[in-house]
Amino acid sequence: MSRSADGIYNFMGLKNYISDIYNGVKSLITGMKVTGHYITHPKEIITQQYPENRDTLKMFERFRGEVVLIHDENNQHKCTGCSACELACPNGSIEIISGKETDPETGKSTKIIDTFVYHLSMCTFCNLCILSCPTDAIKMAQDFEHSVFDRSKLTKVLNKPGSKIMPGVK
Amino acid sequence: MTEQELITNIETVPETQEYFINMGPQHPSTHGVLRLLLTLDGEIIKKIEPHLGYIHRSIEKMCEKDSYQQIVHLTDRMDYLSCHINNEAVCLCVEKGLQLEVPERVKVIRTIISELTRLSSHQLWWGVMGMDLGAITTFLYGFRDRELITDIFEETCGARLTMNYNVPGGVMFDIHPNFQKRTKDFITYFRKKLPEYDELLTGNVIFTERTKDIGYLSKDDAISFGVTGPSGRASGFACDVRKRFPYSAYDRVQFEEIVYTEGDCFARYKARIAEMWESMKIIEQLIDNIPEGEHKAKTKAVIKLPEGEYYQRVETARGELGVYIVSDNKKSPYRVKFRSPGFSNLSALDTMARGNKIADLVATMSTLDLVIPDIDR
Amino acid sequence: MDNENLKNIINSVITDCEFSGDETQFLNVIVKPEDFRKLAEFLRKNSETHMDYLFCLTAVDWITHLFTVYHLTSSINNITVVIKVKITDRENPVVDTVCDLWKTAEFHEREVYDLFGIKFKNHPDLRRILLEDDWVGFPLRKDYKDEVNIVEL
Amino acid sequence: MNFNIYDFTDFVNSINVWLNTVFPPAAADIAGFVIIGICFLTFITLLGLSLVYIERKVCAFFQQRLGPMRVGFWGTAQTIADIIKLIFKEPLVSKGSDKFLFNLAAFIVIIAPFMAIAAVPFAKGLHVLDFDIGLFFITAVSSIGVTGILLAGWSSNNKYSLIGAMRSGAQIVSYELSVILSLLTIIILTGSLQLSVIVESQRDGWWIFKGNIPAVIAFFIFIIASTAESNRGPFDMAEAESELTAGFHTEYSGIKFAYFFLAEYINLFIIAAVGATVFFGGWMPLHIGNFEFFNNIMDFIPPIIWFFGKIAAIIFLIMWFKWTFPRLRIDQLLTLEWKYLLPINLVNLLLMALVALSGWHL
């Protein structure tokens, strides 16, 4: 019931009042139907229980977790130490310390990597280093569990001890 | 007492005192580290003064040191909800400078992923909007559907949020073999779920009461403040860059520019919901017609833009993003400016929310869909 | 309206200006700080141009001089113009504000002031916006040095 | 045929008699108080813990989640772990706050529902207070809690808390009306405020079925108004975490926060208990008129199960509201009360009087 300006009660308002209530309640019930559907259908639950499902959890092959230097079974890698990845990295998370190695047969000295330092803490996983590598020596691995208690553990040396460059990679 | 006496009595009630309240930097509904200094009279907002810069990372300054390839991944971190679109903007701008024609395949892939990004952004916004208004369940439903899109991204682009899928000249990898199937599955799934969004919020009487005639922004103000995106279009400002200056593959798809004239929170809400339908339409038109070809045009390892100024505008989920590159023919740009949509949208907040209540400010802010890294850059 | 018409209109308002924009996408006009306000007001209020949408406001530091760059367009006609205000005084650069013409300029001018130190005359609330109030220097200027915070790679 | 095995009157009396034989009369009374106090403390703690767990699980299932799963089987020990955490947390008192009132508020908030629960009849003969104004007592005592909320908001020296407290005050003052009027609708039929009489009057059927349409309307108004009175969503204006961070208990931490948290759930229980008693016959099993065979089968189920089952149903309904709807704004909340619930309620009360006079009810 609304009162018009001249003080006469307007009973047409009552109709609106009741239809307001009706529509309001109807819309509320529509909403409750949706949530009601889900509570009665526990099969649609989407929760993944993460540490428990570790065995079955498989990341997509393109997922970027960390940079690794590919080593084959003979402990050989393809990195020539050209430091293209170091230049491509926007954050300076790759540092290549290169050394020289003299070929015993020809006597020519070639540039090889001494240590391939990778600061995981600075990496933004932009994939530019992988794209820039001319010999496809590095790739992105799918490991994502990087949390450690000591920050210094996030600075990694990617070339394994005693590893050598694959023969024939220039 | 006569009516006149009553009025004078009301007028002699002692004046209330205004007080200040700091909303943020840590506040559940500012969606990040935005600080609003509110001047309140009771619960009525008298003035809003935004204080920004809590996560200013000087991306523009960093760009002056980086190569063009490296700039792209920085833009992921601006508006992280439409990261692909930001990447695309930079790449398009660089390609414009290089006068490089990208393969047709790239254009279509970029458009599809842009629209998926927009969908995922709007899904998140819908969830958060509900949560801001107190319906926490919507938040989970929004994320449930968004998860499927992030899975598509993860499979094709390699990351879920900051994917850095674009490189100047094309995209980083070709699409994954599963991409088309997954996308189509998602569209069929989401076409069933989107009406649920309407049932839960759009029609709900509490929701409509909370949003109708709240946070009004007139068309003139929208243009003057540069409020773009769904927020601007809800005020009647036809500002869709995809229609006005088509880029990538938007010139070959049919879709409607959503324009409402009400300019209130509910119109902004409806505009975004309608935009989700349009996005799905765009994806459906393109997903089966991805042309064969290269996924990347040949570019030099070191990109040098010719001297000059380049401006590229794209439509992100929040509005118009402009990338302004000034080049002096070196390997890094001389000056980069990102005209971020959130920055301009935020400046209209004071006009929109003044005179409303605190609860309305929350509704207004969530319909503006602010992403704070986008504002602070 | 094409760029030629626009050029004529601008020329009718101010005479002392340079045009460029053959190779880039928009018509560029370089004006002096004194003339800028007049041109901006004209472009905003004239019914023929009706440039009501300022979609980008920024600045560029060219070491010898500073530019403030205004990207203007109209929501009715599809015309765009880029106004560059050339400021030669690096120590005390001043430009007239346009935040009464385009409200978005209020925030953008504060940003430019914050990062370039360009002062906007008659701006209602010219404070730093992104950086903290006691920051020293203007980071986006080319001569800005900060050994502590900027790590050169 | 009457099943008296579920009648607790004799049991309670025998304890009383035993106490009086062991102790002198005054000491027997005190011993009785202590026993009842310990019983209720245990009951309230268990109730709070289980309700928090239930709420978490229910909301999780509404949201397609699993909810707590880690601690214990299906996360059953989660709330216990939370309580242990809250006990060990530092009880911070912010600078500039009124320390006495700040600490007092938490206790007032927890005492109010504690008092109200005394009058709730759990089964035949199993209640502490059964006096002739039982219902009035519950409604009066449970609104003491708002004093605690107001004090908490005032003494915190935090503007968010103050706004929350003021909202809460306005809210409870208005919604108290609707709660009482909707209960009055049924009181017309029972003619008594004594809870045991109200329960007994439903021996041949619950009021929600017997009382015609006005009883159904009254029930829904009661549910809405009492949800609002207990500051639960969608009427949680006083907390409104997206507007006022946490409203009146923003500054509370540790065990004092746990009091607020616990009080909310006990209030929820009391609402459901009052609703169940007045509209659904309390512990009274489902009886249909003179249908003896059916009534006898129903009598086999113990009244405690009936009572808690009804409460669980009402609590589920309230949770369903909370996890579906957005929050109202404070002025809309008051509009809802004064423009919708109150007029409807008054008309409904008239209707009910008409029904009672004409004998249209069963």
Side-chain angles (χ1 to χ4, degrees):
Chain A
M1 258 178 287
S2 61
R3 212 171 82 153
S4 51
D6 49 354
I8 298 163
Y9 282 97
N10 177 6
F11 281 92
M12 279 307 285
L14 192 64
K15 203 178 147 199
N16 290 336
Y17 181 82
I18 290 167
S19 75
D20 270 3
I21 294 172
Y22 174 74
N23 291 329
V25 171
K26 205 173 109 187
S27 75
L28 295 180
I29 289 170
T30 322
M32 284 171 74
K33 250 193 239 161
V34 176
T35 43
H37 169 82
Y38 285 115
I39 202 165
T40 48
H41 290 72
K43 278 204 179 132
E44 291 190 34
I45 283 176
I46 45 160
T47 308
Q48 292 181 15
Q49 291 185 276
Y50 158 57
E52 284 87 4
N53 71 353
R54 232 182 223 157
D55 300 333
T56 54
L57 186 70
K58 200 179 167 299
M59 304 305 289
F60 293 110
E61 66 202 63
R62 285 184 188 175
F63 177 73
R64 306 201 278 262
E66 60 172 339
V67 176
V68 289
L69 191 62
I70 310 166
H71 287 75
D72 66 359
E73 63 277 9
N74 301 325
N75 204 12
Q76 287 174 327
H77 58 76
K78 290 196 226 162
C79 181
T80 57
C82 68
S83 70
C85 49
E86 193 178 347
L87 287 171
C89 183
N91 321 298
S93 50
I94 294 176
E95 268 179 74
I96 290 176
I97 302 161
S98 53
K100 282 255 189 313
E101 188 189 51
T102 318
D103 198 320
E105 288 169 28
T106 55
K108 267 204 278 182
S109 66
T110 45
K111 196 175 163 193
I112 55 147
I113 52 163
D114 184 34
T115 34
F116 191 116
V117 185
Y118 171 51
H119 302 275
L120 182 60
S121 52
M122 292 206 270
C123 185
T124 50
F125 310 107
C126 64
N127 211 34
L128 291 177
C129 51
I130 315 290
L131 288 186
S132 73
C133 185
T135 57
D136 293 334
I138 45 176
K139 68 160 188 178
M140 280 285 180
Q142 276 75 48
D143 185 21
F144 59 92
E145 288 163 330
H146 292 314
S147 57
V148 284
F149 285 104
D150 183 1
R151 201 193 289 180
S152 64
K153 282 186 187 146
L154 290 173
T155 303
K156 297 181 175 180
V157 175
L158 293 190
N159 52 334
K160 289 181 189 161
S163 63
K164 274 216 170 73
I165 186 164
M166 234 177 254
V169 176
K170 287 249 158 63
Chain B
M1 224 187 298
T2 63
E3 210 165 333
Q4 194 52 47
E5 277 171 19
L6 212 73
I7 289 166
T8 36
N9 268 11
I10 289 165
E11 277 168 0
T12 50
V13 166
E15 259 186 45
T16 49
Q17 197 187 346
E18 289 179 353
Y19 64 104
F20 300 101
I21 202 163
N22 265 314
M23 206 163 173
Q26 278 84 33
H27 189 278
S29 69
T30 53
H31 300 228
V33 280
L34 173 67
R35 181 177 139 216
L36 301 173
L37 184 60
L38 309 181
T39 310
L40 296 172
D41 179 8
E43 283 216 27
I44 312 279
I45 292 163
K46 292 282 168 192
K47 197 179 165 215
I48 300 169
E49 205 183 308
H51 287 243
L52 325 172
Y54 283 89
I55 41 169
H56 175 60
R57 293 145 299 169
S58 63
I59 285 181
E60 287 169 17
K61 182 84 181 170
M62 280 152 86
C63 288
E64 291 176 10
K65 293 276 187 296
D66 282 353
S67 72
Y68 287 100
Q69 286 97 332
Q70 291 171 343
I71 290 173
V72 177
H73 99 290
L74 287 175
T75 57
D76 275 341
R77 275 108 191 136
M78 284 179 1
D79 178 358
Y80 48 79
L81 289 181
S82 31
C83 50
H84 178 89
I85 311 177
N86 297 352
N87 295 167
E88 194 181 355
V90 178
C91 292
L92 287 170
C93 195
V94 173
E95 283 152 17
K96 190 183 263 178
L98 291 171
Q99 290 178 334
L100 186 74
E101 187 59 38
V102 296
E104 287 297 300
R105 186 179 177 82
V106 174
K107 287 185 183 174
V108 174
I109 293 173
R110 277 181 180 173
T111 312
I112 294 172
I113 297 194
S114 288
E115 289 309 312
L116 283 175
T117 314
R118 194 184 316 281
L119 267 175
S120 81
S121 168
H122 285 344
Q123 283 165 350
L124 188 139
W125 157 81
W126 180 80
V128 171
M129 165 109 203
M131 195 174 69
D132 278 347
L133 297 182
I136 298 166
T137 306
T138 61
F139 182 72
L140 277 297
Y141 290 175
F143 266 81
R144 171 197 70 196
D145 300 338
R146 186 172 176 268
E147 200 66 12
L148 298 169
I149 297 185
T150 46
D151 276 349
I152 296 173
F153 288 162
E154 195 181 343
E155 196 175 38
T156 289
C157 317
R160 297 170 78 80
L161 191 66
T162 52
M163 13 194 228
N164 191 26
Y165 185 53
N166 278 301
V167 287
V171 288
M172 203 175 255
F173 334 98
D174 206 350
I175 49 169
H176 196 274
N178 290 346
F179 176 74
Q180 275 160 303
K181 188 184 165 292
R182 263 180 190 269
T183 311
K184 275 188 268 185
D185 286 352
F186 167 74
I187 298 288
T188 29
Y189 165 84
F190 196 53
R191 275 194 180 274
K192 272 185 274 168
K193 290 291 175 188
L194 194 48
E196 226 169 61
Y197 287 23
D198 289 338
E199 284 166 21
L200 258 180
L201 279 190
T202 317
N204 191 303
V205 65
I206 303 175
F207 180 79
T208 45
E209 284 291 311
R210 281 290 303 272
T211 48
K212 267 189 185 150
D213 302 324
I214 300 298
Y216 174 71
L217 185 72
S218 68
K219 186 184 175 185
D220 286 345
D221 273 346
I223 297 170
S224 184
F225 275 115
V227 177
T228 49
S231 319
R233 289 196 283 282
S235 297
F237 177 23
C239 55
D240 198 331
V241 181
R242 295 174 293 172
K243 274 270 182 229
R244 287 171 71 216
F245 309 99
Y247 56 93
S248 289
Y250 285 110
D251 47 356
R252 70 190 72 164
V253 287
Q254 302 290 318
F255 68 101
E256 268 174 44
E257 183 175 5
I258 312 294
V259 179
Y260 291 100
T261 45
E262 292 94 328
D264 57 358
C265 284
F266 194 59
R268 287 192 282 276
Y269 172 88
K270 278 191 297 180
R272 286 202 172 81
I273 293 278
E275 222 171 64
M276 285 202 245
W277 287 110
E278 293 304 316
S279 286
M280 285 199 280
K281 238 195 256 172
I282 294 173
I283 296 169
E284 275 178 339
Q285 287 172 45
L286 290 175
I287 190 70
D288 282 326
N289 312 316
I290 302 178
E292 292 299 319
E294 287 289 308
H295 66 87
K296 186 174 177 298
K298 282 262 179 300
T299 48
K300 285 180 192 154
V302 178
I303 295 175
K304 285 183 183 172
L305 283 197
E307 222 172 289
E309 291 162 11
Y310 310 98
Y311 194 91
Q312 176 65 44
R313 16 181 24 185
V314 294
E315 179 78 16
T316 73
R318 254 139 231 97
E320 178 183 326
L321 172 79
V323 179
Y324 176 58
I325 296 182
V326 181
S327 169
D328 58 346
N329 200 14
K330 294 229 174 59
K331 76 174 179 57
S332 38
Y334 189 77
R335 163 101 175 93
V336 178
K337 156 84 184 169
F338 296 109
R339 185 262 184 219
S340 58
F343 192 73
S344 303
N345 290 3
L346 176 72
S347 61
L349 184 64
D350 185 31
T351 313
M352 288 156 87
R354 206 177 267 211
N356 290 342
K357 297 199 165 52
I358 302 176
D360 298 332
L361 171 67
V362 174
T364 312
M365 263 204 300
S366 48
T367 47
L368 272 181
D369 195 11
L370 302 172
V371 166
I372 311 304
D374 178 41
I375 297 166
D376 284 354
R377 280 158 290 146
Chain C
M1 194 186 338
D2 60 359
N3 283 355
E4 278 309 309
N5 277 337
L6 198 59
K7 260 187 202 180
N8 293 337
I9 290 172
I10 293 169
N11 263 329
S12 69
V13 186
I14 48 167
T15 47
D16 190 14
C17 60
E18 286 174 53
F19 289 102
S20 67
D22 304 321
E23 79 272 55
T24 51
Q25 34 187 340
F26 306 127
L27 177 74
N28 281 308
V29 50
I30 300 171
V31 297
K32 283 195 205 149
E34 310 82 275
D35 299 334
F36 167 63
R37 173 80 201 183
K38 202 170 133 202
L39 177 63
E41 244 171 72
F42 177 80
L43 289 177
R44 170 76 183 86
K45 287 174 181 162
N46 187 324
S47 60
E48 212 174 328
T49 50
H50 193 74
M51 299 250 178
D52 50 0
Y53 177 28
L54 174 72
F55 62 92
C56 188
L57 195 169
T58 184
V60 183
D61 179 15
W62 285 104
I63 302 171
T64 52
H65 54 269
L66 293 158
F67 272 141
T68 51
V69 186
Y70 301 80
H71 286 72
L72 283 173
T73 190
S74 164
S75 65
I76 301 166
N77 358 329
N78 197 2
I79 45 165
T80 308
V81 68
V82 182
I83 307 177
K84 292 180 181 171
V85 184
K86 187 172 181 177
I87 312 160
T88 41
D89 183 5
R90 273 181 78 83
E91 295 310 308
N92 190 26
V94 181
V95 191
D96 283 312
T97 181
V98 287
C99 64
D100 50 333
L101 303 175
W102 299 279
K103 289 176 186 165
T104 182
E106 185 176 339
F107 267 40
H108 278 95
E109 282 178 356
R110 275 178 70 186
E111 189 193 335
V112 168
Y113 166 73
D114 191 355
L115 303 173
F116 286 91
I118 297 170
K119 293 188 189 70
F120 290 90
K121 207 166 35 181
N122 301 331
H123 189 282
D125 184 23
L126 198 63
R127 286 178 293 129
R128 286 190 182 270
I129 186 165
L130 293 173
L131 306 176
E132 54 219 73
D133 290 338
D134 53 357
W135 192 275
V136 181
F138 304 105
L140 277 183
R141 284 200 184 183
K142 289 288 170 184
D143 54 0
Y144 178 77
K145 287 271 182 298
D146 187 348
E147 278 84 9
V148 184
N149 294 316
I150 296 180
V151 182
E152 300 275 341
L153 290 177
Chain D
M1 195 165 81
N2 237 331
F3 277 86
N4 284 327
I5 44 164
Y6 298 132
D7 194 342
F8 286 85
T9 324
D10 296 339
F11 172 68
V12 173
N13 282 339
S14 65
I15 292 177
N16 213 4
V17 169
W18 176 75
L19 279 175
N20 273 314
T21 52
V22 177
F23 298 108
D29 278 355
I30 291 167
F33 294 159
V34 170
I35 290 171
I36 289 165
I38 288 169
C39 284
F40 271 123
L41 263 183
T42 328
F43 175 68
I44 281 179
T45 320
L46 289 177
L47 187 73
L49 289 177
S50 49
L51 273 178
V52 171
Y53 176 74
I54 289 165
E55 163 117 73
R56 280 177 176 176
K57 277 292 180 194
V58 166
C59 98
F61 281 104
F62 274 130
Q63 299 169 346
Q64 290 188 275
R65 296 185 288 120
L66 285 174
M69 290 293 281
R70 276 293 141 66
V71 193
F73 176 71
W74 271 65
T76 34
Q78 182 68 51
T79 42
I80 297 166
D82 283 346
I83 284 292
I84 292 170
K85 182 199 79 176
L86 283 170
I87 287 171
F88 283 107
K89 266 187 148 182
E90 187 188 357
L92 284 172
V93 182
S94 58
K95 203 177 167 188
S97 62
D98 190 329
K99 290 197 179 53
F100 174 70
L101 292 182
F102 186 78
N103 291 325
L104 185 69
F107 289 99
I108 291 179
V109 165
I110 193 86
I111 282 169
F114 199 85
M115 279 160 77
I117 212 165
V120 173
F122 290 92
K124 192 174 171 65
L126 196 65
H127 45 197
V128 181
L129 292 170
D130 184 28
F131 50 122
D132 48 2
I133 52 158
L135 202 57
F136 179 71
F137 173 78
I138 289 184
T139 47
V141 158
S142 63
S143 46
I144 289 178
V146 71
T147 331
I149 292 175
L150 278 171
L151 278 183
W154 173 255
S155 62
S156 289
N157 191 27
N158 180 326
K159 288 167 193 163
Y160 283 124
S161 305
L162 188 62
I163 297 175
M166 291 303 152
R167 283 181 177 187
S168 174
Q171 189 177 332
I172 289 189
V173 166
S174 345
Y175 275 86
E176 195 71 50
L177 271 171
S178 274
V179 172
I180 291 169
L181 280 175
S182 60
L183 290 176
L184 269 183
T185 321
I186 301 298
I187 301 301
I188 290 176
L189 295 173
T190 62
S192 169
L193 285 165
Q194 193 167 2
L195 284 161
S196 56
V197 175
I198 294 175
V199 174
E200 280 301 328
S201 69
Q202 303 179 64
R203 182 161 287 283
D204 53 345
W206 302 341
W207 282 125
I208 191 133
F209 302 132
K210 288 199 297 179
N212 237 328
I213 299 161
V216 179
I217 296 175
F219 173 67
F220 281 103
I221 290 174
F222 171 77
I223 284 292
I224 295 169
S226 52
T227 316
E229 209 199 333
S230 69
N231 283 329
R232 271 184 68 83
F235 307 101
D236 53 347
M237 240 66 38
E239 290 171 44
E241 79 280 342
S242 61
E243 294 150 32
L244 305 176
T245 58
F248 61 91
H249 59 61
T250 308
E251 297 288 346
Y252 284 87
S253 67
I255 194 70
K256 271 180 274 176
F257 167 75
Y259 284 169
F260 283 102
F261 202 58
L262 202 60
E264 187 190 329
Y265 285 96
I266 300 166
N267 273 328
L268 182 64
F269 174 80
I270 288 166
I271 290 160
V274 171
T277 309
V278 175
F279 295 96
F280 290 95
W283 46 264
M284 189 62 76
L286 179 63
H287 289 166
I288 302 177
N290 299 320
F291 197 9
E292 280 299 326
F293 179 67
F294 178 78
N295 291 354
N296 285 341
I297 291 173
M298 287 296 138
D299 282 341
F300 270 115
I301 304 168
I304 292 269
I305 289 179
W306 275 109
F307 186 60
F308 280 97
K310 287 166 192 172
I311 285 176
I314 294 175
I315 286 179
F316 179 75
L317 189 63
I318 292 174
M319 283 180 183
W320 197 351
F321 286 148
K322 171 160 181 172
W323 297 108
T324 306
F325 300 141
R327 184 184 301 119
L328 280 93
R329 206 172 56 209
I330 181 70
D331 57 324
Q332 291 164 352
L333 183 86
L334 299 181
T335 312
L336 175 69
E337 162 65 18
W338 295 101
K339 286 197 179 161
Y340 291 91
L341 292 188
L342 192 64
I344 294 172
N345 220 333
L346 289 169
V347 172
N348 195 36
L349 193 62
L350 267 175
L351 268 178
M352 189 52 121
L354 204 67
V355 166
L357 280 176
S358 345
W360 288 336
H361 63 93
L362 297 168

